[in-house]
C-alpha cells in the first residue's frame, strides 16, 4: 500500500506491504527521506507540523487503521537538504530590485494549492447497495475490468451525503477506462423519474479500479471525470473508489471516497488538463497546459517551483466514509450486468419474500426500474407504486396481483 507522508518539506509517498508494522513503516520512511527512525515523530494529526501544537498531538504507536492512501505527518528536529524537483519559479529568479505589481504576478502565475477540507463533510453508503456493487466487481468480474455506477440519495444542511442506492448504467469496461452509454437513454429517464418521485437526486459516482498493479491513487482520466461531474452536479458531489488490495492474509476490498479540489474543477473546466495522450489512463500525474499560452513549457507553480506536471494527489480531498441501513434493499437482479433481468428473476425474488409486507418487497430500486421498463406497466402505475414505497404504504392488492402475474405466479 502507499502511505502519503507530509512534512514541512512537502509531500512524499512511501510504499509498504499491507499489514506492515510501525518498525517497517519507519524503515521505509528512512529509506525515502533519509530521516533516521529514531528521529521520526509520526502522527495522523496535521497539528504535528504547527508550531506550539506539536507537543499536544497523539503520536503514532501502531499502524492499525492505516490503509492505502492514508496521510501520515512527519516531524524531525533538524534541517533536511531536499533537492528541488524543478527549477525555481520565474518570480523567485527575478533580478534583485526588479518590481512586479500584484496584478502582474497573478496574471503570469498559476499556483497549485492544496485544499485541506473537502466541500462534502461525509458520505454514508447504504450497506446493501455497497455490498451488491462490491460483490459483483469482486466475484462477478474479479476486478478484471473497471465498473461504475451513479449514486442517488440526499444531502443535508451540514453537507453530509447519504447514498440510498446505486444505478449501474449500460457500460463497456476495460482495465483502464469505462465508456458509459447512459446519456439520453429512455432507461436513464425512467431512473430520474423514480428518483424524483422518491425525493432523491444524484449525489455521487462510484467506480471500481481493475486489479492491474499501479503506484497511484487516481489516474488523470479518473480525476478529469470526477471534476466534470462535480461541476455538473454541485460542490458536494462525491466519488467512491472500490479497489482490491492483496496482503499476506489474503485479499481486502477497500472503499475510499474523494472529491476534487475546487481549483481542479476550475482548471479542468478552463481546459488546462492535457487529455490527448494514452498516459492519462496509466499515470497518477497530470500534464497541464495554459490555454491562454499553450507554448509556455511550465505554466504552473507547485511548492514554489515552475512545472507542467502535477501529482494528482494535489487535486484530491479525502472524504469521510460511513455506512447505514436504509429503506431500500439491493436483492433484486441489478440492471445492465452479464446476467439480464427477466421474469425468472422476478419470480425467484417474489417467492423469497412470501409472507412479507408487499411494500417491503417493492422497496428495491432495481425492482422498481425493472417494473418501469415493463410494457405492461404505464407511467401512472409506476408513479403510484413508487409513491407507496416512499411513504411505506400498501399500494393495493391490485398491483400485487399484476406484478405476480408478470412473474408467472
Amino acid at each position: 500500500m502507499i502511505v502519503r507522508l507530509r512534512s514541512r518539506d512537502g509531500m512524499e509517498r512511501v510504499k509498504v506491504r499491507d499489514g506492515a508494522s510501525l518498525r517497517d513503516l519507519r524503515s521505509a520512511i528512512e529509506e525515502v527521506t533519509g530521516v533516521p527512525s529514531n528521529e521520526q515523530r509520526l502522527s495522523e494529526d496535521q497539528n504535528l507540523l504547527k508550531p506550539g501544537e506539536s507537543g499536544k498531538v497523539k503520536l503514532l504507536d501502531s499502524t492499525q487503521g492505516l490503509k492505502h492512501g492514508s496521510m501520515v505527518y512527519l516531524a524531525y528536529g533538524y534541517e533536511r537538504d531536499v533537492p528541488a524537483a524543478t527549477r525555481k519559479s520565474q518570480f523567485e529568479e527575478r533580478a534583485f530590485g526588479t518590481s512586479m505589481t500584484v496584478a502582474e504576478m497573478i496574471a503570469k502565475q498559476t499556483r497549485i494549492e492544496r485544499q485541506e477540507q473537502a466541500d462534502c463533510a461525509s458520505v454514508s453508503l447504504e450497506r446493501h447497495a455497497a455490498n451488491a456493487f462490491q460483490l459483483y466487481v469482486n466475484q462477478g468480474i474479479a476486478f478484471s475490468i473497471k465498473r461504475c455506477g451513479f449514486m442517488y440519495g440526499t444531502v443535508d444542511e451540514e453537507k453530509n451525503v447519504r447514498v440510498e442506492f446505486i444505478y449501474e448504467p449500460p457500460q463497456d469496461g476495460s482495465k483502464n477506462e469505462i465508456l458509459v452509454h447512459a446519456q439520453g437513454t429512455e432507461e436513464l429517464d425512467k431512473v430520474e423519474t423514480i428518483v424524483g418521485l422518491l425525493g432523491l437526486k444524484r449525489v455521487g459516482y462510484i467506480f471500481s479500479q481493475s486489479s492491474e498493479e499501479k503506484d497511484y491513487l487516481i489516474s488523470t482520466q479518473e480525476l478529469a471525470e470526477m471534476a466534470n461531474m462535480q461541476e455538473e452536479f454541485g460542490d458536494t458531489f462525491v466519488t467512491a473508489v472500490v479497489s482490491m488490495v492483496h496482503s499476506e492474509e489474503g485479499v481486502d476490498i477497500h472503499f475510499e471516497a474523494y472529491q476534487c479540489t475546487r481549483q481542479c474543477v476550475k482548471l479542468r473546466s478552463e481546459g488546462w488538463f492535457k487529455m490527448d495522450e494514452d498516459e492519462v489512463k496509466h499515470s497518477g500525474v497530470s500534464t497541464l497546459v495554459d490555454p491562454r499560452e499553450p507554448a509556455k513549457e511550465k505554466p504552473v507553480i507547485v511548492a514554489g517551483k515552475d512545472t507542467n506536471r502535477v501529482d494528482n494527489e494535489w487535486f484530491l480531498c479525502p472524504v469521510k466514509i460511513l455506512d447505514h441501513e436504509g429503506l431500500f434493499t439491493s436483492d433484486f437482479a441489478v440492471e445492465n450486468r452479464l446476467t439480464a433481468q427477466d421474469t425468472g428473476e422476478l419470480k425467484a425474488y417474489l417467492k423469497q419474500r412470501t409472507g412479507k409486507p408487499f411494500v417491503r418487497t417493492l422497496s428495491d430500486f432495481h425492482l422498481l426500474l425493472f417494473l418501469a421498463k415493463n410494457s405492461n406497466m404505464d407511467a401512472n402505475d409506476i408513479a403510484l407504486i413508487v409513491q407507496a414505497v416512499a411513504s411505506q404504504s400498501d399500494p393495493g392488492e391490485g398491483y400485487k396481483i399484476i406484478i405476480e402475474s408478470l412473474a408467472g405466479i
Side-chain angles (χ1 to χ4, degrees), residues 1-3 18 63 65-71 254-256 321:
M1 65 179 177
I2 296 173
V3 175
D18 283 343
T63 55
L66 293 184
K67 60 183 181 179
H68 183 66
S70 289
M71 178 78 77
H254 285 191
F255 277 80
E256 295 166 311
I321 191 166

Side-chain angles (χ1 to χ4, degrees), residues 103-314:
E104 289 173 332
M105 183 172 66
I106 292 174
K108 290 181 176 294
Q109 303 189 326
T110 298
R111 293 180 179 272
I112 304 302
E113 304 285 354
R114 292 193 183 279
Q115 183 177 316
E116 293 298 333
Q117 297 292 332
D119 291 322
C120 171
S122 70
V123 57
S124 182
L125 302 179
E126 205 287 324
R127 61 176 62 102
H128 296 103
N131 189 53
F133 186 83
Q134 72 86 15
L135 275 177
Y136 183 67
V137 297
N138 183 19
Q139 299 178 9
I141 56 177
F143 283 94
S144 59
I145 59 174
K146 297 178 70 173
R147 181 80 183 168
C148 75
F150 302 157
M151 302 194 295
Y152 290 90
T154 57
V155 183
D156 67 17
E157 293 180 356
E158 286 73 41
K159 297 189 175 181
N160 296 296
V161 172
R162 183 179 169 97
V163 176
E164 301 300 348
F165 49 77
I166 298 168
Y167 163 62
E168 297 180 24
Q171 58 194 274
D172 291 314
S174 68
K175 288 184 177 181
N176 300 306
E177 64 181 331
I178 309 171
L179 298 177
V180 178
H181 312 294
Q183 195 64 34
T185 63
E186 184 180 356
E187 181 174 281
L188 184 59
D189 288 342
K190 293 182 184 299
V191 170
E192 298 294 342
T193 297
I194 293 170
V195 168
L197 290 169
L198 291 169
L200 308 177
K201 65 178 182 177
R202 197 185 306 186
V203 294
Y205 176 67
I206 185 170
F207 71 90
S208 64
Q209 295 177 321
S210 73
S211 57
E212 187 173 60
E213 187 174 350
K214 56 188 180 301
D215 61 354
Y216 55 84
L217 298 177
I218 297 291
S219 72
T220 298
Q221 186 174 65
E222 292 164 348
L223 184 74
E225 290 166 351
M226 290 168 61
N228 289 343
M229 286 183 279
Q230 273 181 233
E231 182 179 27
E232 180 178 358
F233 294 103
D235 61 358
T236 59
F237 194 86
V238 63
T239 297
V241 183
V242 184
S243 58
M244 180 174 66
V245 178
H246 292 277
S247 66
E248 293 179 355
E249 290 76 27
V251 174
D252 294 324
I253 309 301
H254 285 191
F255 277 80
E256 295 166 311
Y258 300 99
Q259 282 196 298
C260 297
T261 63
R262 291 183 291 275
Q263 184 182 42
C264 175
V265 174
K266 183 175 184 293
L267 292 175
R268 171 61 177 159
S269 176
E270 292 176 353
W272 282 73
F273 284 83
K274 190 175 182 180
M275 302 298 297
D276 59 351
E277 298 178 6
D278 190 54
E279 178 188 19
V280 299
K281 304 174 186 177
H282 308 281
S283 174
V285 178
S286 292
T287 300
L288 300 186
V289 177
D290 187 342
R292 301 164 299 185
E293 297 182 70
K296 193 173 183 180
E297 292 184 1
K298 297 182 178 181
V300 298
I301 299 174
V302 180
K305 312 300 177 184
D306 287 346
T307 185
N308 68 337
R309 303 272 288 167
V310 183
D311 190 309
N312 290 339
E313 292 181 23
W314 279 83

